[in-house]
Amino acid sequence: MVKIEDFKLSCELTGHKLDVRAVAEGKGFIVSGSRDKTAKVWSATGNGYEDTATLKNHTNYVGAVLVVEANGWVCTGSNDATICVFQYPGPPEPIGVLKGHTSTVCALAAGHNATTLISGSWDKTAKIWTNAPGSMTNLTLVGHEAAVWAVACLSNGKYITGSADKNIFVWNEKGEKLVVLKGHKDCVRGLCALPKGGFLSCSNDATIRYWNDTYECVKEFHGHSNYIYSIARSDAWGDEIFISGGEDSTIRMWHLKEGALGEALQMPAQSVWALAGLRNGDIVSGTSDATVRVFTASADRAASEELQAAYRVAVEVRQSESAKQLGGMNVNDLPGPESLLSEGRDGQTRIVRHPNGKILCYQWTNGKWECVGDVMGASDGDTGKQLYEGREYDYVFSVNLSDDAPNLKLPYNRGEDPWFVAQRFIHKHNLPQVYLEQVANFIVKNSDNAPVASAIGNSYYDPFTGGSRYVPGSSAEASQFRPDAVNTDPFTGGSSYTTQTPNVSLATNAGKPANGAGNLDPFTGGSSYTTGSSEVKKSNTHFPHHHYVMLENADLSKVLVKLKELNANIDDPSGSIRMSDDTLDDIVRYAAEVMSSPEQNSVCLTALKFLYTNWPTEKLFPIMDITRLIVREARACHEVFSDAAFFSTFLQHVNHLPANQLMAARCFANMLAHQAGRNVVVENIRAIVDRLNMIRGGSANLQIALASFYLNLSMTQLDKLTSVDFCRVLAGTIGELLSWLTDNEATYRAYQALGNLLSIKGAGMGAVAETLKANGALTDKILFNISSEQPNFVKLNECASYLYELLA
């Protein structure tokens, strides 16, 4: 009896640019479909195959292929919701395009005669096309509550469909539902009819089920450790042997009675998307590394020993890669070569994982991505070093600042100065300066052999301030923030972290030095600048500010979990509102890849907009969180918000709910980072500001989001002045916002926004300053920030000083 260990590599077929999602066999050829929007025909030549045709009619990725040999048809199903029927051999244009589905066509199977097809779609339906390809006549099979991922035609004349709703339905040729089969605990991804009756099903629950001809589940197969995407058989193996492949990088072989036939055929790719058993007994696979592979049990068709050795090395690289970390990130999470299809900006670098396991660094130079070398030293836990952004470190700490933000990476090498590293970390992540001491002490506490700086003979030159470093225990210590005042150290496990600066005593004389210098600067040891100071003031680096703020940190794994939880609990008696898990997976994946994707995913954007119009407002905050990530990309932003009706719908959800307020403010801030978003915001600015003005309090995160929005909005006037009246009204709005802001970082950004407006030259711009001067509460707040220095937040004091000068 054949077993999986008998199969060796026969050949590798390269030519696709992205994942191969589907494979099928024709007479003398193989067909593959890919995320690169094409299908390829590979014709048999000797013991191998060659690329003889590329079918390019689809506008989105190809997720299903089918060969109908009786007619010489190659059929392809796509994310563009159509099915193309090609004549092969024949012209590259389809002889028919079947339209009727409203979402991705993800499954195809032959019907009971040469002109009948069955298709499955994300639109929750299957269709039996009764007179393809010249007619759109079809029977629509309605009843599933989620995407129909798999379809098949049984030997007894019945049709079966498998869905993300975990169920399998049996239908007659009239489109009437006969039986509902339950048992799988997750999405049904594949179906395979058996020649003697009955069928097989595979699922995201990592199991395979064998259903007999009376639709009873008579056996369950276990072995895969992750999702199973595909299941297939070949007459050459007999009636009772089949194969399966999935997300665990393996192909496995099974017998209906004996179970597993051998261990597993390891693949050098993460996902085995598709399998087919060929009539000669070979196996063909389509995988996430854009490669079609053929495996054979015949020594005559096996690849050369050299190629097989190279394949074994690729598998070993893949296996070791799965355990490696790169800067605290699994290397499998790094973008693939497809990320190089999108343009970069001058000097930008990108680390890319290639299918052969290599990790290379690219830089955008002269309008293209140039490879600058290998990224070496990805840690597998044995070297004692960890790689972060291309450099090795003794430590890469994972710092969790808040529940709604992802962990930040804090790299550190033994021998480095903890305070210097802490300052670098704060600048990089735009954190409040108040955390300098906590970060430094965290490093000291959690790294062995880390030097603790002495307060005596402090000759260290601080590159950030130009003076000597502040060291706890020095004469300046009395003026420093103490963790026990309000919020204890978020890095060492004290009370919970908020981005709002702790309430520190601001107006006592006890903390002043005896010489009356006042406001001792913890970095330089001298007094900070005040309006009465005789010191020479630093140059103004706070405004005008020209770099748009992007609020893009997100833990999408948590967002996805929350989405699925809300989706599962949605009140949906009609079954028309709840989304499939796969659709949610695709939406979240698209949000993560939107900046590197060569094109927008219209299917995901349509699904996103559908949720806004159908889900209750209290469940929309994770959708709004995803939206603010998607709108970072100009084309996607335009496609989502160019529809005035949808923009009005979105705005309605900016209501009394704090989570919705936060996500909307972040979304509007991110939209201003590119011209397409700026056009939408400016066109709807009155409605947006009216909504945001309803907010009169909130968390530090909300305050920062609102201030960031107005800061970005002020920058649009630096680029091109709209009108004096616009700037005057905007200044007044920011002044009102400042009346209730309590977070230092939010206050600083709002001051920067006002500084931007006051820096604009032109006739009539004096009206902006007059508007702000008339706001007595604002002037008092600015003076307060000048005279009452916030420990470790010098930039706020400096910015307030420069702002006051423009108003004086």
Side-chain angles (χ1 to χ4, degrees), residues 410-721:
L410 172 55
Y412 175 74
N413 274 323
R414 295 184 184 91
E416 285 189 291
D417 185 277
W419 275 264
F420 179 86
V421 174
Q423 186 66 68
R424 182 175 63 200
F425 176 77
I426 286 171
H427 275 265
K428 177 175 181 177
H429 297 290
N430 201 26
L431 297 175
Q433 191 65 37
V434 70
Y435 290 111
L436 176 71
E437 183 181 352
Q438 292 99 299
V439 177
N441 287 334
F442 171 81
I443 295 171
V444 172
K445 180 177 178 180
N446 290 279
S447 61
D448 58 330
N449 300 321
V452 182
S454 168
I456 301 172
N458 182 10
S459 60
Y460 178 78
Y461 180 82
D462 190 329
F464 297 99
T465 66
S468 59
R469 177 192 63 236
Y470 167 71
V471 179
S474 68
S475 60
E477 188 173 359
S479 68
Q480 294 306 297
F481 165 64
R482 296 187 177 278
D484 55 0
V486 176
N487 291 330
T488 53
D489 189 347
F491 302 96
T492 58
S495 62
S496 62
Y497 166 79
T498 68
T499 54
Q500 179 174 331
T501 302
N503 297 321
V504 183
S505 178
L506 300 175
T508 65
N509 293 321
K512 292 186 178 182
N515 62 8
N519 294 331
L520 191 65
D521 190 324
F523 294 98
T524 65
S527 59
S528 63
Y529 171 78
T530 66
T531 52
S533 173
S534 61
E535 287 187 80
V536 177
K537 188 174 59 191
K538 299 176 184 177
S539 61
N540 182 3
T541 59
H542 306 286
F543 57 80
H545 185 82
H546 291 274
H547 303 291
Y548 287 96
V549 176
M550 289 280 275
L551 303 173
E552 51 189 351
N553 285 342
D555 188 343
L556 286 175
S557 61
K558 291 183 179 178
V559 174
L560 181 58
V561 169
K562 190 64 179 179
L563 261 182
K564 290 183 176 179
E565 174 190 330
L566 294 173
N567 187 55
N569 295 327
I570 202 85
D571 184 16
D572 185 23
S574 67
S576 60
I577 299 176
R578 188 176 290 113
M579 288 282 181
S580 72
D581 284 355
D582 294 287
T583 299
L584 298 179
D585 288 342
D586 284 343
I587 291 173
V588 173
R589 187 182 300 112
Y590 177 56
E593 299 173 351
V594 68
M595 297 302 286
S596 60
S597 177
E599 61 181 16
Q600 64 264 42
N601 189 325
S602 297
V603 173
C604 286
L605 296 179
T606 300
L608 194 76
K609 294 165 76 171
F610 174 84
L611 293 173
Y612 278 101
T613 56
N614 290 278
W615 276 26
T617 189
E618 66 271 15
K619 294 183 182 291
L620 278 177
F621 65 92
I623 298 298
M624 299 176 83
D625 199 8
I626 289 171
T627 304
R628 61 103 178 180
L629 296 175
I630 287 177
V631 299
R632 294 175 298 162
E633 204 279 329
R635 294 167 301 172
C637 178
H638 176 76
E639 182 165 340
V640 171
F641 284 111
S642 59
D643 181 352
F646 174 73
F647 188 89
S648 177
T649 299
F650 179 87
L651 210 57
Q652 290 173 12
H653 295 296
V654 186
N655 46 35
H656 64 285
L657 298 172
N660 289 23
Q661 295 172 354
L662 171 62
M663 299 310 170
R666 288 176 171 175
C667 184
F668 292 139
N670 287 351
M671 290 171 68
L672 288 167
H674 48 70
Q675 190 59 52
R678 290 194 283 274
N679 292 342
V680 174
V681 171
V682 171
E683 184 178 343
N684 298 277
I685 189 62
R686 184 178 295 277
I688 293 172
V689 171
D690 285 348
R691 282 283 176 171
L692 297 183
N693 277 350
M694 295 167 56
I695 304 170
R696 305 298 297 176
S699 68
N701 285 331
L702 175 58
Q703 295 178 45
I704 291 171
L706 289 169
S708 299
F709 166 71
Y710 286 115
L711 173 57
N712 284 353
L713 189 59
S714 72
M715 278 184 266
T716 66
Q717 301 307 296
L718 293 176
D719 296 336
K720 183 180 180 181
L721 179 63

Side-chain angles (χ1 to χ4, degrees), residues 192-268:
C192 179
L194 296 172
K196 292 184 177 180
F199 64 93
L200 300 160
S201 61
C202 64
S203 166
N204 278 5
D205 64 12
T207 69
I208 300 165
R209 287 176 176 256
Y210 168 32
W211 309 82
N212 64 17
D213 53 7
T214 58
Y215 310 122
E216 295 175 309
C217 181
V218 294
K219 194 173 181 66
E220 192 170 334
F221 302 88
H222 298 266
H224 284 282
S225 60
N226 210 323
Y227 300 161
I228 306 175
Y229 297 132
S230 184
I231 191 166
R233 58 170 302 279
S234 168
D235 288 339
W237 307 328
D239 296 337
E240 298 183 317
I241 294 177
F242 62 95
I243 55 173
S244 59
E247 188 67 12
D248 61 1
S249 306
T250 68
I251 299 173
R252 296 172 186 267
M253 182 168 273
W254 313 83
H255 189 279
L256 290 181
K257 297 175 182 176
E258 305 296 331
L261 298 177
E263 293 296 325
L265 177 58
Q266 296 290 336
M267 302 290 285

